Amino acid sequence: PRSTLFPYTTLFRSVTGVTVNPVSTTTKVTLSATLGSRTLTVSVVLIRPWQSGDKITLTPSPGPGPFYGPSLGYEYLVYLNHPAPTGGSALNGTVTTNHPKAVQFDGNQVNVTAGCNNTSVSFSVPYESHPVHATVTVSLGGSTATVSLTIEPSLASVTLPATIVGGQSATGTVTLAGAPDRQETVFLQSTWGILTVPDSVTVPAGQVSATFPITTVPVTSDSQVNVNAWHSVSDQTADSVESNTTDVIP
């Protein structure tokens, strides 16, 4: 509309009846409003809809990896550099991998709702005993994006002495299901302060295990303590979790 009326005592008013037509290129539009001698302007950028050949970006969540199994909580976020066309059905495509046994998608369909520019595809990782180097490919609306991902061997066990005399030190061991092709960090946590372990232990590339120190304090009765060990893709995840128990005794 070319004008609008402000009812008496009204401080603001919504302008209705604005029509936005499709654009073939990203277009900046300036709107102006004049009241008396004062004119205010605002700019709006109209983005053209998706076209075949536009860019797709794949971002792993919760982090870039490597990934560890068994885990069900991974996904790839799919971003389009232009929104799916409005006024019709969703933009449909597929997701594939060259290692379907290691990268297990919930389904092979990818759907972006009309007017949106993103979606996600979920996948799980099984227990692995050797490194897997895979690719993930999303084909959507005439465009394709491929990314690489690595799955390292799962954590097999954390080993502790059956008993430790309180006040004495001991050694624990973390063991992977196979030798990784990169240095791996395994995080550690004791469930009781009478027994202390380091925050993490490093398994060198090509090795399957690493030891870590255990310290204890004197106790007056048998006390059972758990030690948890896990891989982590990011600070928010705990993957491939293992635990074991020891008795701290007087």
Side-chain angles (χ1 to χ4, degrees):
R2 297 183 62 85
S3 64
T4 188
L5 295 176
F6 279 77
Y8 183 66
T9 71
T10 299
L11 295 178
F12 65 92
R13 179 174 174 80
S14 298
V15 179
T16 59
V18 177
T19 301
V20 179
N21 295 316
V23 293
S24 58
T25 61
T26 298
T27 304
K28 183 178 180 180
V29 177
T30 299
L31 305 177
S32 62
T34 301
L35 180 64
S37 60
R38 187 179 185 188
T39 299
L40 299 177
T41 62
V42 64
S43 295
V44 178
V45 177
L46 304 181
I47 302 175
R48 70 163 174 81
W50 174 267
Q51 296 176 358
S52 177
D54 281 348
K55 184 179 179 180
I56 302 171
T57 302
L58 304 180
T59 302
S61 176
F67 300 97
Y68 308 94
S71 178
L72 303 174
Y74 299 137
E75 64 180 4
Y76 269 95
L77 306 178
V78 182
Y79 294 99
L80 311 182
N81 67 336
H82 291 281
T86 59
S89 59
L91 193 63
N92 301 314
T94 59
V95 58
T96 58
T97 177
N98 63 335
H99 281 281
K101 290 184 178 180
V103 183
Q104 301 173 354
F105 290 103
D106 291 348
N108 67 345
Q109 298 298 308
V110 180
N111 303 299
V112 181
T113 304
C116 296
N117 71 337
N118 64 86
T119 188
S120 63
V121 288
S122 300
F123 67 98
S124 59
V125 171
Y127 187 93
E128 288 290 351
S129 60
H130 61 277
V132 176
H133 300 280
T135 59
V136 171
T137 299
V138 169
S139 299
L140 190 67
S143 297
T144 299
T146 299
V147 293
S148 299
L149 67 86
T150 299
I151 303 169
E152 291 289 359
S154 305
L155 182 61
S157 65
V158 53
T159 305
L160 309 172
T163 60
I164 305 173
V165 176
Q168 295 188 2
S169 299
T171 299
T173 303
V174 292
T175 303
L176 306 181
D181 55 9
R182 47 159 275 168
Q183 176 178 290
E184 287 295 322
T185 299
V186 178
F187 295 91
L188 302 169
Q189 182 186 55
S190 168
T191 58
W192 195 349
I194 61 172
L195 183 149
T196 304
V197 294
D199 291 337
S200 64
V201 61
T202 299
V203 180
Q207 303 296 313
V208 297
S209 64
T211 60
F212 59 90
I214 300 172
T215 58
T216 63
V217 299
V219 295
T220 57
S221 61
D222 289 5
S223 304
Q224 193 174 77
V225 184
N226 282 359
V227 173
N228 300 319
W230 69 93
H231 284 302
S232 181
V233 175
S234 72
D235 292 339
Q236 288 76 43
T237 65
D239 307 292
S240 188
V241 181
E242 294 290 334
S243 64
N244 206 339
T245 303
T246 185
D247 282 324
V248 180
I249 61 176

